[in-house]
Structures are given as structure tokens and as C-alpha cells.
Amino acid sequence: MTTPAPSVQPDFDWDIFCCVVDNFGDIGVTWRLARQLQQEGHGPTHDSGTKVRLWVDDLASFARICPGLDPALDSQWVEGIYIQRWHDTVLPNVVPAKVVIEAFACELPTPFAQAMAEQSPPPCWINLEYLSAESWVEDCHGLASPQRIGNQSLNKYFFFPGFTSKTGGLLCEQGLIGAREQWQQDQAGLAAYWASLGLPPKEDDELRISLFTYESAALQSLAASWCLGATPVTLLLPLGRSLSDVLTGAGLSSAITTASAGELLHAGNLTIKLLPMTDQAGYDRLLWSCDFNLVRGEDSFVRTQWAARPFLWHIYPQDDQAHIAKLDDFLDHYLAALPADAAQWLRSFSHALNQGDDVGELWSQWPDFDAILQQHARDWSQKLLVDGDLVTRLVKFLESRI
């Protein structure tokens, strides 16, 4: 529910700044962070009624994953979070929160930074970085970078999400894993979920796959393999960047220009259900319900790991192929406990997807690795939480700095 904001603002515990870069990735992460801080009561001083203010420069994109948001309003309360449109100039007399987070190296407005410097004591300043499995992240996590603002010097601390105990961990709200377990074990509930999408209950020999990736020629060969394969595949496909490649590979290129949410398309042994954009909770349920998920970016990448299902990650492409090295850094962690043949298959498949290669032969080997990858995905999601989730680690990090 959206509530217009009053002219007098309360004192905030957290200020989070987000510059929307890739439509949904950056705002997806910061929106989850804001809600977890507020819902779990993570105030820096442990007072009741944690108050979070989220500054966002593109409310139209934000509204697509947050249906309760009114992009026409400059400020509003949504789900207990104060949403403030981020203008070039900051509102006068804004008092910074006790903790200020600039997400993904977005630059704080100069007047806001000056207001931080004038406070005594100044806020704790966190630069929440992009998720990475690169080894250097462990050495940089938690380091302070002195910032000169006027006559004052403030420390900005680098906080790196990651996959080891020496990083900031991953966002995972309390109760998420329990909710996933309950969902995946509720057969009647799953049948009702499929019915809500206009699909029958899943057959025993059928695969249900979600696909939310960037463009890749590999998707054409993958869709063709699903059409010609012996196993029935139902593909849950949100309208977006991968639509053209998938429909082309399925021999349905004539439907590309007219495709609409809710449509059900058929090609050989492949059924394609076209989905509208959903909110974050809806996307979680989709990931939990499928046997295999293809995801992109950062937020979807993290959420599919909590789904405890096998997945492929389409990392954000870079011109110099640096993303392939970053992909391998993650795979080195993820594949470490797998038998060599399963690990090599998944690495080869990941590379082929990200480089746009033909994946027909690789997909034909899926039955050989299905069971072991299903179990591995469950084991991995448990391992990631051994040292705590990102918010737990962040609050602990702040204890000695506030």
C-alpha cells in the first residue's frame, strides 16, 4: 500500500541510494535490502521501529517490480519504507540517517554528503559493491576509504557481497528458506500455482524451466533441442530480452511481434508460457517451482541459489570478455564439491550460454546429471548461510563503528 509522505520526515536509521542502471537489477537488490532491514528491525542502535529511506532516481522502472509504488509521487511510504525520488538537488534540511549506503558506487549528492559531514558523530558510510566471486574481494571487503568533504574527513567503508566467510555474504531474509521448503513440499499448493498460470499440474516425466536471461544465440539451439527432445519441456518465459532468440529457435519467429503475456505456444515437445513482469515474491515462487532456472544479472542470480534448484547464470556481458573470468571465479566455488564429469558439464554449458555457442549436444546430456545437480543445489544453498546472510554480517560490521 502506498501512502503519500508527510512534509515533516522522521529520523531515519538507514539511507540507501540507488541509481537504476539495468532496469531491475540494482533496484531489485536495494529494495530487498531496504525491506529486510525494516521488517527484521535492524536499527543501528537497536531501537524499536526501524526506519529506512530509499532514494531512487527512476521510479518508473522501480514500479514494475513494486506494484504498490506510484511513480508520479516524489515521496511516499511503501511497505513501511520511505521512498524518495532522487533529484539532482537534495531537499533542503534533509537530515542523513545513522547509516548511509550508496549502492554500487553511485555518487551521493554533494549537499547530502555535506550534511553528513556536519553531523556529530557523522553517519557510518557504506559503499555496497556488486556481488563478485573474485579472490581480491576478500582483501578489500571492509576497508575504509577516507573522503574529504569540506573541512571534514569521513571514512567510506567498502562492503562486498560474496560467497566466503571473508566477504559480506548474500541477501537472504529470515524465514525465506523455511518458506521455500514449505512451498516445494506442498503438492496441492504447487498444482494451484500452476493453475493460476493457466497450466495443468506437472507430469512426472516433464521438465518445467524458467528463463530470464539476456540475448544469446545459444538460446536458439537450446529451444530447438527442447522441441526435438524426448522429454516434454514447459518453459516459463517472461516477456523480455530473450524472447526473440527462444521463439526463433522453436520455429515460432512469426509470433515474436505479436507475443503477449498469458499466451501459450507449442512447438514439438516444447510448450512456452509467456509471463508478465512479476513482483519479487512472485519471481521467488517461480524459481522455487521450476526444475531448472536460467537467470541473469545479480538479483535473479542470488534468488535462484536460494531456490535450491539447478541453474545457469547469464552474467552481464562485457566487451573485453572480462565477464567470462568472473563467471569462472564463481564456478570455481560452486563446482568444487561436484564430481569431475558433472562439474565439467556445467562449466561447459555455462560458457556456451554466455558465449552464444550451440548447446544442443550439452543439453542431450542433462539426464546424466539431473539428480546430482538437484542435490548439489540444495547443499549449496545451505552452505551459503553457514556464516550468516548479508544483513546479519552488515549489522555486525557496524556494531563497532556506530
Side-chain angles (χ1 to χ4, degrees), residues 23 61 64 82 86 100 126 132 199 216 270 281 294 302 326 328 337 364 378:
N23 291 329
S61 291
R64 294 194 65 190
Y82 189 99
W86 178 359
V100 176
I126 300 289
S132 176
L199 294 171
S216 172
L270 173 64
L294 290 89
V302 172
K326 294 178 181 179
D328 275 326
S364 70
R378 296 188 65 80

Side-chain angles (χ1 to χ4, degrees), residues 329-344:
D329 286 330
F330 166 70
L331 291 174
D332 287 345
H333 290 287
Y334 186 71
L335 303 179
L338 277 172
D341 56 346
Q344 184 55 52

